Amino acid sequence: MERDHVKVLADSMKRLMRRGGITHLRKMVNNAHASDLASVFRSMSFSSQKKLLDLVEDIDGKSALFAELDTDILNALVEGMEVDDVATILEKMPADDAADLIGKLPEKKSAALLKAINWEGSEDVEGLLKYKDDTAGGIMVTDFISLKEETTAKEAIASLQNEHMDVEMPFYLYVVDDYGKLVGVCSLRQLVTVPPATPLRSFMATDVFKVKTYTDQEKVAKIVSNYDILAVPVVDDENVMAGIVTVDDVIDIIRAEATEDILKMAGAGEEFVETKSVIKSTKIRLPWLFASCLGGIMAFFIIGRFEETLQQVTSLAAFIPVIMGMGGNIGTQSSTIVVRGLATGRLQIDDLWNVVLKELAIGLILGFVYGALIGIVAQFNYSTPALAFAVGLAVISSMSVAALVGSMVPMFFGRIGVDPAVATGPFVTTAIDIISVFVYFMLATVFLGL
Amino acid sequence: MERDHVKVLADSMKRLMRRGGITHLRKMVNNAHASDLASVFRSMSFSSQKKLLDLVEDIDGKSALFAELDTDILNALVEGMEVDDVATILEKMPADDAADLIGKLPEKKSAALLKAINWEGSEDVEGLLKYKDDTAGGIMVTDFISLKEETTAKEAIASLQNEHMDVEMPFYLYVVDDYGKLVGVCSLRQLVTVPPATPLRSFMATDVFKVKTYTDQEKVAKIVSNYDILAVPVVDDENVMAGIVTVDDVIDIIRAEATEDILKMAGAGEEFVETKSVIKSTKIRLPWLFASCLGGIMAFFIIGRFEETLQQVTSLAAFIPVIMGMGGNIGTQSSTIVVRGLATGRLQIDDLWNVVLKELAIGLILGFVYGALIGIVAQFNYSTPALAFAVGLAVISSMSVAALVGSMVPMFFGRIGVDPAVATGPFVTTAIDIISVFVYFMLATVFLGL
């Protein structure tokens, strides 16, 4: 439903643009949900994007759209705009989104923008810019409700009606002491279910989940999702509240981190590149392939060293693909399970040997199964038991080494603090290729007595 | 912090179990958050799990733990328990979690359980069991707040204080007409900010995001995350409300779907298997490797057909790994980008030719770069321009075909309604291996005039 909806919207808008039906187009653009409009922008050319943006009538609409647009589309659009116009839109955006946008612009532009922004919240944006993008500080919003312990439920409700109209997610009220330090939390629901004169102190929960401004965003996401909460407060080292991270941002993080892991493991960069140009995509993918190219050239030199063996038994060449393929595929299984297991918390880095030994056992069992199968095929074709034996043994060793390397490398990288996903993908596959080929020719040379 | 926290907890519990420090252990178990305790269970043996479960003192604690435990751990524990004891715990669980658990048990056990459950909500569980696991109906909760249009804000607040104490996420109030049909939604926040006598009708939003009971859970997740809402109402075909899906369940879906995609693409099953036994893991991974084994054997027969060519120029064998590797790796890049793009909505199925042509262009460019590089290496080693040319051309064609196949297969599967992730992984790699090897030997035979 949702995808079709966006598709219909995009098609109608394209048709209206071709026909010059500006009045209709304007109505359609201004009635669309910002999230849908942002999806429509993905399938539009740059000039159409500019045209559509101009049709958005009020600043609120523009800022809602800005908050939803993909970074690369947004940057391209902002580049062509007047600083003052951008500033007017940013003034209406939530501080965290505005900070994100400014942080990604060229320095000259971002400095000019910060100067041009004229806004009670501009110090928030400048404040947020000092936190790293992937920490709690970088993703938090600074609009939250904090009240003193002695505030009554009735006063708290009144403050919701007057002061806190712009807070994004007013479902938790944070309770602070006289020094601004976080001491408790109550829910909006509690406010309406206790007698009006009850002070917050007497019904707040004091066992508050919280994170530090420098906590990694992945950890923040885990806390929010493991404990099923809608927002987590962010405090500094003095326990003074700096902001909150809300569940909708956590969803974006979880999705982005999964995409990042998947792409890294496939050696296809970190960010989603399909919307970028052919040249940009090529540039991102080129270096990863270089690793595999180097590995292939190494395998070439290894096989070159066994040229004599090969000249005597040409048929050895025919088994190279199956031996490499079986090793490569089981290695991918192992490394994928470990990388994803570490990312989701199903595996712990400290369990290194448990995990690796289990993978090795699986590699050995599967190696025996497929080694026997492929050995039999070899025997049927060449009726040379020594060859069949060498091939079967090569499959077993290739598969068990692959399971070992595939599980050990990401565990090891995780332990020394390198992202397991980036360290895995092409590197593991390439290493396994080289080892498989080498072991295969060694075994063949020995068994065939060459 | 969170991981260390669980690790420390698990280690302390293990130490106390060894030493028989039951009093301390009991205190620790009953003070731990259910989510943390569930994580601890993952690193425990079955007998320790049973011991810990027995230490949980009240039924509420047990039901909270049950709601958090991994399915396989839970099933194993439930199998050894008395039906009545399980029923007592299930009675305290949210209906959706209870239904999930019952749905996964052997039929005999689940029938006995349903009979034993004695509870006002038991018809909810039975009702939920009729929906498929991966639809909105299968993941919704049936506790929600629905009020008539003419209810006033004050009356609504009163109903929160009296009737709806057990609702999980009371942040939205759904407004229904006299026939129970959904007509609007208000937020808890609005209730406290409008004059008390205002009827819901006059301030509710009528443009409600909603899903059908049979809507796929992935679509539900997209709606909740795209529109930044905390819960989405689930209606039947008559627009009568059946339940709501809350954001915390959406997070679990997003994470599970990402894991599923990653594992499927690596040919490592669908569910996370590392916590399962070696034998179970082996069984799940075996069939996927069979595809790659068949492909390898096909490549073997193809190379066998070129035995004469190989006998004359043995060095041809040395290039098999690099040609297969380059094709395989760029193919993985392409298919990963497409599968993830489709899953996240960054790519649309209708853009098939756009995407495929772009990937083909990237494959050609990268093919020329690496084809030239590997061709030069070949020329340096063998000083045979025809060989170098054949190798270079084989790399170009292998890489461009790989980019084409890698992007087209998942797009095509998506279009005919097959999950792109499951259709991709090992199948694409295997197909690319076979094509690469065939094209390479064809080119070599022609160019070297054999």
Side-chain angles (χ1 to χ4, degrees), chain A residues 161 189 192 274 276 358, chain B residues 161 164 192 274 276 358:
Chain A
Q161 291 163 330
R189 192 237 189 103
V192 299
E274 195 44 51
K276 299 210 168 87
K358 197 169 154 199
Chain B
Q161 290 162 330
H164 293 289
V192 300
E274 195 46 51
K276 300 210 167 89
K358 200 170 154 193

Side-chain angles (χ1 to χ4, degrees), chain A residues 187-199:
Chain A
S187 74
L188 185 50
R189 192 237 189 103
Q190 285 175 305
L191 282 194
V192 299
T193 53
V194 298
T198 324

Side-chain angles (χ1 to χ4, degrees), chain B residues 313-330:
Chain B
V313 190
T314 336
S315 17
L316 279 179
F319 293 101
I320 296 176
V322 75
I323 290 168
M324 279 177 60
M326 295 309 287
N329 279 312
I330 196 171

Side-chain angles (χ1 to χ4, degrees), chain B residues 199-411:
Chain B
L200 301 183
R201 187 192 311 111
S202 62
F203 62 91
M204 70 186 185
T206 51
D207 190 16
V208 189
F209 295 108
K210 59 191 172 188
V211 296
K212 294 282 167 74
T213 47
Y214 47 79
T215 304
D216 186 83
Q217 63 173 3
E218 255 181 278
K219 273 196 188 154
V220 178
K222 267 190 195 156
I223 289 170
V224 170
S225 65
N226 284 352
Y227 301 121
D228 290 348
I229 48 183
L230 298 176
V232 65
V234 183
V235 296
D236 64 15
D237 277 326
E238 315 287 281
N239 197 27
V240 172
M241 265 192 84
I244 59 172
V245 176
T246 54
V247 70
D248 54 322
D249 291 324
V250 164
I251 289 184
D252 295 340
I253 294 164
I254 290 176
R255 193 166 266 166
E257 298 272 357
T259 301
E260 211 182 295
D261 275 5
I262 294 176
L263 293 180
K264 275 186 198 159
M265 289 192 67
E270 295 196 13
E271 274 182 68
F272 196 82
V273 291
E274 195 46 51
T275 44
K276 300 210 167 89
S277 71
V278 169
I279 298 300
K280 266 196 194 157
S281 302
T282 305
K283 269 194 200 152
I284 291 173
R285 286 157 69 168
L286 188 103
W288 300 85
L289 291 169
F290 191 67
S292 121
C293 179
L294 277 188
I297 292 174
M298 273 184 70
F300 158 77
F301 282 111
I302 290 172
I303 297 179
R305 285 195 49 199
F306 290 98
E307 187 127 13
E308 262 179 68
T309 310
L310 254 177
Q311 255 154 8
Q312 290 173 53
V313 190
T314 336
S315 17
L316 279 179
F319 293 101
I320 296 176
V322 75
I323 290 168
M324 279 177 60
M326 295 309 287
N329 279 312
I330 196 171
T332 304
Q333 288 184 338
S334 300
S335 60
T336 304
I337 287 175
V338 171
V339 169
R340 193 63 190 157
L342 289 176
T344 56
R346 303 290 292 256
L347 292 181
Q348 307 296 324
I349 290 180
D350 308 277
D351 289 336
L352 195 151
W353 293 112
N354 259 343
V355 172
V356 169
L357 288 178
K358 200 170 154 193
E359 282 299 317
L360 182 61
I362 294 171
L364 276 168
I365 298 173
L366 289 168
F368 269 101
V369 172
Y370 286 108
L373 188 67
I374 295 163
I376 290 169
V377 173
Q379 174 63 16
F380 257 98
N381 264 271
Y382 297 103
S383 309
T384 316
L387 175 68
F389 207 69
V391 167
L393 212 57
V395 171
I396 297 175
S397 42
S398 161
M399 289 181 73
S400 40
V401 168
L404 186 76
V405 173
S407 56
M408 208 155 66
V409 171
M411 288 299 270

